[in-house]
Amino acid sequence: MALKVYVDRMSQPSRAVLIFCKVNGIDYEEILVDISKHKHVAPEYKAINPMCQVPTVVVDGKFKLFESHAILIYICCAFPGVASHWYPSDPFQRSKIHSVLDWHHSNLRQSAGVLVWNTILAPRHGLPLKHPLVAEESEKLLVRSLSKLEDFWLKDGQFLVVSSQPSIADIRLVCEIMQLELLSEKDYDRILKPYKKVVQWIEDTRRATAPHFDEVHGILFKVQKRLRKRMATEPVNYNHLKSKL
Amino acid sequence: MALKVYVDRMSQPSRAVLIFCKVNGIDYEEILVDISKHKHVAPEYKAINPMCQVPTVVVDGKFKLFESHAILIYICCAFPGVASHWYPSDPFQRSKIHSVLDWHHSNLRQSAGVLVWNTILAPRHGLPLKHPLVAEESEKLLVRSLSKLEDFWLKDGQFLVVSSQPSIADIRLVCEIMQLELLSEKDYDRILKPYKKVVQWIEDTRRATAPHFDEVHGILFKVQKRLRKRMATEPVNYNHLKSKL
């Protein structure tokens, strides 16, 4: 089966799909859709994914699929040799994986990336920010989401569903949280450090998917270094931005 | 298998699960979690669903599951006799169902209900509104979502994935759009009428799930009647609300 994976490694769901493929020895071709160069809205990519988002996979040149959760589930089912803990066939465990992935859509997904975009990436790129309230609301939702991870989803074990082994949900949600690495060290620590189980779970997922986790996140850490260096010399005055809006 | 379904029929995902169970002759007990009376945040419900949302199902008094998409998939797999078109075993069709359900989370789900809440329900209930921009943004997202339904998801057939028969995705997405019935007739027509295929698809899904679709939506139409009667005599002055915020 020929698998083409259209991604931008600066996108959290793209990273999740890449790490998963690498960990499971899936043979694929990685094709960069450079969002910073607006390649995701180019007509040739629109023909592959009319939603203009990454990732997308194309199987045998014919079957096109987008949405990272759907892609991860598809690969688990279509490619032989994927260990069962990634997407267990037990109906209760499988349902829990669907449940946590669905929960993720309206919680972490609506908060971590939105916060990073509206406080760090957009102002740094000179792009228009949404109303400052969006950043405030997304931080509130992020804190509520982290609390639910700490007190509910991670209460029974090391990982989200299959207590001692990672599933596709662990990779996907941890990749989302990793976007917070682009915040200043102070903000990152302030937001994330109170959640001990979450911090440990990120580390456990990283170890369980080594060395691919760090390799795929390489570009994120490169951008982090550049951003934090700039933050040290020319800090973003968020109040100043507010008055502009 | 004893199935308890915790719902409030004013909630779109609750209605989707109820209609699906009724159409498929699933034996279940419906338990009202009255959101208007804050029963969803009561300790006894929190013990069932710590996210304080409806719907939730409890199977044989033990297995608790929330998130409507996960619930619909679980019922398709765990209950014998559910026709295959609802959640086909064909890997491509099944993946497309996951894809459209995932897409729904960040598009229709983030727009239709949010718009109705911020323009109709919250002011009518004297509850605090989010910033007026939230309503404006949600209408923009709703229009984009309806366009994608019209031009992409419904381009090949009568229904979303299995072209001639409904799947769980049709029930779920149509139930979300049905919340727009609470808008004024003028706003409803203005927003929805340009999308001919969408309007036809709502009607086709309604017919395919008759008489349960109308029965489960009964409370929505009752509230619509009351709201529209009030709108005629005391229209909501949204600009006035804006100045308060």
Side-chain angles (χ1 to χ4, degrees), chain A residues 50-51 63-67 69-70 73-74 92 95-96 98-99 102-103 105 131 133 148 152-153, chain B residues 50-51 63-67 69-70 73-74 92 95-96 98-99 102-103 105 110 131 133 148 152-153:
Chain A
M51 306 304 167
F63 179 62
K64 299 165 193 160
L65 185 66
F66 53 84
E67 289 291 339
H69 304 184
I73 292 173
Y74 170 75
F92 299 126
S95 298
K96 288 284 180 192
H98 295 158
S99 181
D102 285 328
W103 172 83
H105 270 296
H131 194 281
L133 274 175
K148 290 290 183 209
F152 177 70
W153 291 112
Chain B
M51 306 304 167
F63 179 61
K64 298 165 194 162
L65 185 66
F66 53 84
E67 289 291 340
H69 303 183
I73 292 173
Y74 171 75
F92 300 125
S95 297
K96 287 284 180 194
H98 294 158
S99 182
D102 285 328
W103 172 83
H105 270 296
Q110 294 294 325
H131 194 281
L133 274 176
K148 290 291 182 208
F152 177 70
W153 291 114

Side-chain angles (χ1 to χ4, degrees), chain B residues 116-128:
Chain B
V116 169
W117 181 258
N118 278 281
T119 55
I120 302 294
L121 292 179
R124 290 286 174 189
H125 285 81
L127 288 168

Side-chain angles (χ1 to χ4, degrees), chain A residues 40-54:
Chain A
H40 60 302
V41 289
E44 53 271 32
Y45 187 63
K46 262 189 182 167
I48 295 167
N49 181 349
M51 306 304 167
C52 303
Q53 288 173 327
V54 284

Side-chain angles (χ1 to χ4, degrees), chain B residues 5 7-9 13-23 28 30 72 212 216:
Chain B
V5 186
V7 287
D8 181 330
R9 290 188 179 203
S14 290
R15 293 196 298 265
V17 170
L18 287 179
I19 293 168
F20 181 76
C21 286
K22 283 172 185 271
V23 170
Y28 69 91
E30 178 177 344
L72 290 166
H212 311 292
V216 172

